Amino acid sequence: MAHADVSEAVRLEARPGAPLIPLSEIALTGIYEISKILNAPNRLEATLSNVLNVLSSFLQMRHGVISLLADDDIPDITVGIGWNEGADERYRARLPETAIGQIVATAVPLVAENVATHPLFATDAALLGAADDVRVSFIGVPIRIGAKVVGTLTIDRVWDGRSVFRLDNDVRFLTMIANLIGQTVQLYRVVSRDRDRLMAESHRLQKELLELKPVKERKKVHIKGIIGDSPALRSLLDKIMIVAKSNSTVLLRGESGTGKELIAKAIHELSPRAKGPFIKINCAALPESVLESELFGHEKGAFTGAVNARKGRFELADKGTLFLDEIGEISPAFQAKLLRVLQEQEFERVGGNHTIKVDVRLVTATNRNLEEAVARNEFRADLYYRISVVPMLLPPLRERRGDIPPLAGEFLKRFNEENGRAMSLDPSALEVLMSCGFPGNVRELENCVQRTATLAHGPSIMMDDFACRRNECLSAMLWRGHSEVAPPRLRPAVSFPVLPAAADGTSADTTPGQAVADPAHATAGSGAVSRGQMPDRDRFIAAMEKSGWVQAKAARILGLTPRQIGYALKKHGIEVKHL
């Protein structure tokens, strides 16, 4: 058979007794499996060890070692099959120093059919297990980043008498794997340096925030569209004023409905980029294939339906701000694509090969616990460090109750303008709103005001106009019985207990987010009315008399909300006395 035909006819027997497999199929399958490993969000040493594990199943090899040279502040790394913490020296001792030195110096692969007779292994043959009755062959290829050699990939095997052509194929296969490893190492080192820089910048900004003067000594910050004057909101606005001046990436954390998009826009409008575009996209609203096109754009004919070239959101946000909402919902595969853009500020359109550079400030938002997602390998740690330069926690509405009246007033004003009405909020209506927990935060408050205003009969919204007064609040039904609505460590747990059943078997309505204390557990020292054997009606009358027939005070005595005690008084037919 002519040598030119050998490449098509040669088959490799991977294991004794196994079927013969085409070399081309082995190479393609191996590259595919290794590329999946290199894209996984693992520690670099573990990733490289997994690459060697896969190689051992595709090649007849006894040992495999990947050695990376030191680079700036990053130490050298040496891993082998089955790597674990502290095993670097064991694998490093197996490396033939002279041969490795030549590979690094020449950037050329090295093949030795028999290390015992090769001059470069004169002092290292025994390290590889060569003996009089054991003939060991060696293959080493350089790992490069551009033209620079940053490490080596080496394997050794007991010589099986196969042709030199077999070794040549293995060299080509290992060279392709080394190129993939080089790209991964480059990204890792860029991320590592960038992470250190970002963490230093984050520390500087956090220190500056901590050194802020007391709020009373500073002029109050007012941002268009953000309503409220509670301490929690004031603290957030002060941070926004400082963070907006820089180009640092911001990660907005908080529950759904707290106004993350509004805060992102405020950061943009207070920044030096205010004259540039503010582009936003919800990452959870689009499938991965569509999201890639939306963010990076596409060329004409890139896929079915792409009749024209189109700019992506990154291009549209050039010299401005890009807001990525729900970033915690993107898939691990897309996280790798996004990371490169955030690192280099450059990308290619879908179906294109022209690199586009942009200048974009990134603001991201999520209500997920990203730390737990990183621990479960659901979110890349390198991407987490890239987006979490300045994390900002948005307070839930229950932690800024003082902002409920102005917010409710603003929402009612908008309702009146849109519907040509002139409705107002009765003080009793504000009492109902102030007693609600609002798990859906500002968004739920707005819906509640609009719904109640739509269904109200009089010129003012009264206490009895609210759905919760008629036990028809869908939010209360949704959250009742849930012990926690917040991701761990993002905000305190909030319980939504149900009021204990009354004598007739019915249950008093409870407000979502409002913990209700059982009056039976109240202490005498707190001024509570002890339940003992007292019937419910007498208990409520006693509390009302003790409070001078003021419902709010009686509610505090019994550990209830004003709305709940109002419901109980009606239920038991207790007439409120006016002193």
Side-chain angles (χ1 to χ4, degrees):
M1 181 182 294
H3 182 75
D5 299 328
V6 173
S7 61
E8 296 298 328
V10 169
R11 298 292 185 268
L12 174 64
E13 187 175 358
R15 299 180 184 86
L20 297 179
I21 305 172
L23 288 174
S24 58
E25 182 178 334
I26 289 176
L28 287 175
T29 305
I31 291 173
Y32 172 71
E33 294 296 332
I34 288 173
S35 65
K36 289 196 299 183
I37 291 173
L38 294 175
N39 279 326
N42 288 325
R43 181 176 175 179
L44 181 61
E45 291 92 334
T47 296
L48 297 180
S49 179
N50 290 336
V51 169
L52 291 172
N53 291 337
V54 172
L55 279 179
S56 67
S57 65
F58 284 92
L59 298 177
Q60 284 186 323
M61 52 184 278
R62 187 171 55 171
H63 301 119
V65 178
I66 295 176
S67 180
L68 301 178
L69 306 177
D71 180 29
D72 297 335
D73 296 330
I74 301 174
D76 61 314
I77 295 173
T78 304
V79 301
I81 299 174
W83 175 89
N84 52 54
E85 196 73 42
D88 291 49
E89 288 301 325
R90 176 161 57 91
Y91 298 115
R92 193 174 288 115
R94 194 178 293 149
L95 289 174
E97 293 185 8
T98 306
I100 295 297
Q102 176 168 311
I103 297 172
V104 173
T106 62
V108 174
L110 173 64
V111 179
E113 294 182 40
N114 186 357
V115 297
T117 60
H118 199 288
L120 291 176
F121 296 87
T123 59
D124 299 318
L127 292 176
L128 300 175
D132 294 338
D133 57 341
V134 179
R135 181 179 177 183
V136 176
S137 60
F138 174 90
I139 303 176
V141 296
I143 298 173
R144 287 180 288 202
I145 297 178
K148 180 181 178 183
V149 176
V150 297
T152 59
L153 166 61
T154 61
I155 69 167
D156 62 76
R157 60 161 67 104
V158 175
W159 177 252
D160 55 3
R162 293 181 183 271
S163 66
V164 176
F165 177 75
R166 157 74 185 283
L167 291 175
D168 291 342
N169 276 279
D170 289 346
V171 169
R172 285 194 290 270
F173 178 54
L174 290 173
T175 300
M176 289 187 286
I177 301 304
N179 290 336
L180 293 176
I181 293 173
Q183 296 173 12
T184 301
V185 171
Q186 180 184 26
L187 179 60
Y188 172 83
R189 291 184 171 177
V190 169
V191 169
S192 183
R193 283 191 289 265
D194 196 42
R195 179 181 61 195
D196 293 341
R197 179 182 63 80
L198 294 174
M199 290 180 69
E201 184 178 2
S202 177
H203 178 72
R204 179 186 63 79
L205 288 171
Q206 294 293 344
K207 184 178 179 181
E208 188 176 347
L209 292 174
L210 291 174
E211 293 175 351
L212 287 172
K213 296 179 180 179
V215 178
K216 293 182 179 178
E217 298 181 9
R218 301 194 312 274
K219 182 179 178 181
K220 287 187 176 181
V221 179
H222 296 282
I223 298 178
K224 181 181 178 182
I226 300 178
I227 300 170
D229 197 38
S230 63
L233 186 62
R234 292 253 60 86
S235 176
L236 177 65
L237 296 181
D238 291 332
K239 291 179 180 179
I240 290 174
M241 292 297 294
I242 294 176
V243 172
K245 297 175 184 178
S246 72
N247 282 320
S248 301
T249 303
V250 179
L251 173 61
L252 302 177
R253 313 285 296 267
E255 301 174 16
S256 178
T258 49
K260 292 186 281 291
E261 181 178 331
L262 197 60
I263 297 298
K265 190 171 183 181
I267 292 174
H268 168 72
E269 292 178 347
L270 293 171
S271 73
R273 298 171 176 265
K275 294 183 179 179
F278 175 73
I279 305 297
K280 57 189 178 182
I281 185 171
N282 189 319
C283 299
L286 300 171
E288 183 177 321
S289 57
V290 178
L291 182 61
E292 182 175 4
S293 174
E294 284 292 324
L295 285 177
F296 308 141
H298 60 256
E299 298 291 352
K300 181 179 179 180
F303 50 83
T304 304
V307 295
N308 293 303
R310 180 186 178 189
K311 290 184 177 181
R313 304 297 175 96
F314 271 98
E315 280 185 85
L316 296 175
D318 191 28
K319 303 297 188 298
T321 303
L322 177 62
F323 174 52
L324 300 182
D325 198 6
E326 304 292 355
I327 194 170
E329 305 303 321
I330 61 177
S331 68
F334 192 75
Q335 291 171 26
K337 298 177 183 178
L338 184 60
L339 179 64
R340 182 211 166 198
V341 182
L342 302 187
Q343 294 286 149
E344 308 294 338
Q345 293 272 299
E346 63 182 29
F347 59 93
E348 293 82 34
R349 292 177 181 171
V350 177
N353 51 21
H354 174 64
T355 300
I356 301 171
K357 286 195 70 70
V358 291
D359 176 18
V360 174
R361 183 189 188 170
L362 190 69
V363 178
T364 62
T366 183
N367 57 9
R368 289 191 65 191
N369 190 315
L370 292 186
E371 291 79 11
E372 287 192 353
V374 170
R376 294 193 300 266
N377 287 333
E378 296 174 358
F379 199 85
R380 294 180 66 103
D382 42 13
L383 179 58
Y384 168 80
Y385 286 116
R386 190 64 188 83
I387 65 175
S388 186
V389 180
V390 184
M392 299 180 68
L393 182 61
L394 278 62
L397 190 55
R398 62 179 172 275
E399 293 180 7
R400 41 180 288 222
R401 290 186 179 277
D403 295 337
I404 291 178
L407 283 168
E410 175 63 23
F411 295 146
L412 185 59
K413 177 183 175 183
R414 296 178 189 175
F415 175 84
N416 288 335
E417 292 174 353
E418 293 172 1
N419 297 277
R421 305 280 292 275
M423 299 195 69
S424 61
L425 279 167
D426 186 79
S428 64
L430 287 176
E431 184 179 331
V432 173
L433 293 175
M434 289 292 287
S435 66
C436 184
F438 291 113
N441 296 292
V442 179
R443 185 183 295 120
E444 184 184 353
L445 172 61
E446 181 177 12
N447 292 343
C448 179
V449 171
Q450 290 190 357
R451 177 176 62 251
T452 307
T454 301
L455 299 175
H457 298 291
S460 296
I461 297 179
M462 308 297 291
M463 175 184 289
D464 292 335
D465 289 328
F466 288 94
C468 55
R469 297 287 296 171
R470 302 184 298 276
N471 202 25
E472 298 175 356
C473 180
L474 298 179
S475 178
M477 296 178 186
L478 174 65
W479 294 108
R480 181 177 293 146
H482 286 239
S483 60
E484 188 175 326
V485 295
R489 296 194 300 275
L490 277 185
R491 52 185 186 266
V494 179
S495 297
F496 303 111
V498 181
L499 200 63
D504 60 359
T506 61
S507 176
D509 185 26
T510 184
T511 303
Q514 180 68 42
V516 182
D518 186 346
H521 296 106
T523 62
S526 67
V529 177
S530 176
R531 172 181 290 185
Q533 300 300 321
M534 186 183 297
D536 284 350
R537 190 175 191 279
D538 294 340
R539 183 164 55 91
F540 287 114
I541 292 175
M544 290 296 291
E545 289 178 344
K546 186 176 182 65
S547 65
W549 291 92
V550 177
Q551 294 186 40
K553 291 183 179 179
R556 286 195 294 270
I557 291 173
L558 293 173
L560 304 177
T561 66
R563 178 171 59 82
Q564 290 166 343
I565 199 167
Y567 173 86
L569 295 178
K570 285 188 176 182
K571 175 183 174 183
H572 294 290
I574 301 173
E575 184 178 355
V576 179
K577 297 179 182 179
H578 300 282
L579 302 179

